[in-house]
Amino acid sequence: MGIDDYGGGQGPEPTVLVVTTNDVPGHRVEKVIGEVFGLTVRSRHLGSQLGAGLKSLVGGELRGLTKTLVETRNQAMERLVEQARTRGANGVLMFRFDVSEAADIGTEVCAYGTAVVLVRE
């Protein structure tokens, strides 16, 4: 597996700019649209669970689980971006992820932030 299997985020020219900061240098917030989020819940794959159990005996990274979590986070972020775009935003400020267990059957990942309209200064 290459580095692309373990990463995420946006491409070089996103239609909705997503940042973890309160503002974007060179831009001003023209309009605050409000909170947006993208949510997904993934069940655990039996094969990766067995592999994780065996790997925990000898130590090391749980690559199958890492890849699944990256895919899950990317899906949650894609849903956040789509919601922001649908509501007329071209930016999301204060972007965050929240990860939790979902009733002992899977992992819930929520991507959230504040949808805004940004104008270049």
Side-chain angles (χ1 to χ4, degrees), residues 38-116:
L39 180 68
T40 186
V41 178
R42 292 274 176 107
S43 64
R44 293 184 183 93
H45 183 273
L46 180 60
S48 64
Q49 285 294 98
L50 292 174
L54 293 173
K55 188 71 169 186
S56 68
L57 296 174
V58 295
E61 181 181 6
L62 306 174
R63 290 179 185 239
L65 292 176
T66 299
K67 187 173 180 181
T68 298
L69 186 54
V70 167
E71 290 168 355
T72 304
R73 288 172 62 120
N74 287 343
Q75 184 178 49
M77 185 171 179
E78 288 168 8
R79 290 177 177 176
L80 165 121
V81 167
E82 186 57 35
Q83 186 184 62
R85 183 183 302 114
T86 299
R87 293 180 62 192
N90 66 350
V92 175
L93 304 179
M94 294 301 296
F95 171 73
R96 301 286 187 267
F97 282 112
D98 185 45
V99 180
S100 60
E101 293 296 314
D104 293 330
I105 60 167
T107 303
E108 171 190 4
V109 175
C110 182
Y112 62 96
T114 303
V116 297

Side-chain angles (χ1 to χ4, degrees), residues 1 13 16 20 22 26 30-31 43 64 67 75 89 99 118:
M1 287 189 242
E13 294 184 31
V16 175
T20 59
N22 291 326
E30 181 174 84
K31 179 180 178 184
S43 64
K67 187 173 180 181
Q75 184 178 49
V99 180
L118 296 169

